[in-house]
């Protein structure tokens, strides 16, 4: 049997060694700190470009590198997805107004390790439907994380999320998924946020990946706009997303991107 350190499973999933958790922990911490700090700027009247400028500066201040600047031609330090934008929203001249909800997604590289996380914010007071969408999306993420332990499967993660979301009469986006990461931005496996319990690859200690459910108030279908990045709900319903990077441990998992200030969830 191969040594677990540096091994790749039959599904193409890298198994990292114990020492690698420290690198992921630091990359995740810095990404989470940046998302903690940008929250104070999320107010009506602020441009999404201003939020991205702050993030770009903070990435450099922490001695990290943005994983998104230059990635497939992308030129921003974050993705900022407002209201019915599902993911990959491009920061720009969009001015936030009271009642907007938005996801900010940041990935940093620290000593070769990738820390990838996103969370929801609100520009002033929001209505109860938007608030409930954010609550369910966060709870879906945490239900998925609870399913992460050796011997379970990736299908168990997706099933836990889908069951919770659909019980609340919302829908899970099928067109985008979580992914493996570590010393690369994207790697096997694809982490689906829906599925059948017991299906797909078996979780093993040393796997690193993201869980990042996107949940819509309406139907799950999306479309990508002409900019070839921005994905929106086809029915214009509100969408929300939360993302953590995790590593499978001997008894469960470690969340690398926990908010140091406990600010990850904001209803």
């Amino acid at each position: 049997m191969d040594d677990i350190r540096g091994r790749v499973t039959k599904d193409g999933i890298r198994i990292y060694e114990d020492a690698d958790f420290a690198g992921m922990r630091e990359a995740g911490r810095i990404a989470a700190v940046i998302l903690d700090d940008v929250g104070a700027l999320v107010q009506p009247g602020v441009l999404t470009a201003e939020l991205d400028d702050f993030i770009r500066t903070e990435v450099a201040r922490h001695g990290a590198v943005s994983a998104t600047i230059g990635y497939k031609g992308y030129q921003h330090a974050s993705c900022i997805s407002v209201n019915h934008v599902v993911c990959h929203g491009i920061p720009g001249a969009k001015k936030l107004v009271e009642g907007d909800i938005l996801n900010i997604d940041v990935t940093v590289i620290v000593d070769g390790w990738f820390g990838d996380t996103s969370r929801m914010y609100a520009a002033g007071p929001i209505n109860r439907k938007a608030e409930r969408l954010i609550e369910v999306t966060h709870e879906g993420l945490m239900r998925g994380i609870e399913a992460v332990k050796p011997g379970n499967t990736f299908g168990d993660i997706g099933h836990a999320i889908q069951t919770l979301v659909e019980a609340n009469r919302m829908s899970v986006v099928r067109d985008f998924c979580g992914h493996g990461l570590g010393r690369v931005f994207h790697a096997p496996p694809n982490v689906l946020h829906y599925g059948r319990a017991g299906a797909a690859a078996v979780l093993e200690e040393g796997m690193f990946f993201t869980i990042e459910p996107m949940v819509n108030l309406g139907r799950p279908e999306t479309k990508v706009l002409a900019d070839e990045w921005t994905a929106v709900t086809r029915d214009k319903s509100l969408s929300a997303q939360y993302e953590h990077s995790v590593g499978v441990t001997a008894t469960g998992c470690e969340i690398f991107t926990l908010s140091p200030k406990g600010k990850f969830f904001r209803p």
Side-chain angles (χ1 to χ4, degrees), residues 141-196:
L141 169 65
M142 301 314 293
R143 292 281 185 94
I145 289 173
E146 287 173 5
V148 178
K149 62 181 179 181
N152 277 4
T153 70
F154 284 96
D156 293 328
I157 297 171
H159 181 73
I161 296 168
Q162 181 181 9
T163 300
L164 181 281
V165 170
E166 293 181 354
N168 283 276
R169 298 183 179 181
M170 300 175 193
S171 64
V172 177
V173 170
R174 266 70 166 170
D175 298 332
F176 301 94
C177 60
H179 53 88
L181 82 171
R183 286 197 171 275
V184 293
F185 196 171
H186 296 99
N190 289 332
V191 183
L192 304 183
H193 304 116
Y194 61 95
R196 181 169 55 85

Side-chain angles (χ1 to χ4, degrees), residues 1 14 32 47 96 98 113 118 144 166 179 185 219 221 223 225 245 265:
M1 182 176 177
R14 173 72 59 184
L47 303 180
L96 299 179
E98 186 171 296
W113 296 100
S118 80
E166 293 181 354
H179 53 88
F185 196 171
R219 292 186 55 81
E221 292 84 7
K223 65 178 179 180
L225 301 185
S245 296
F265 174 57

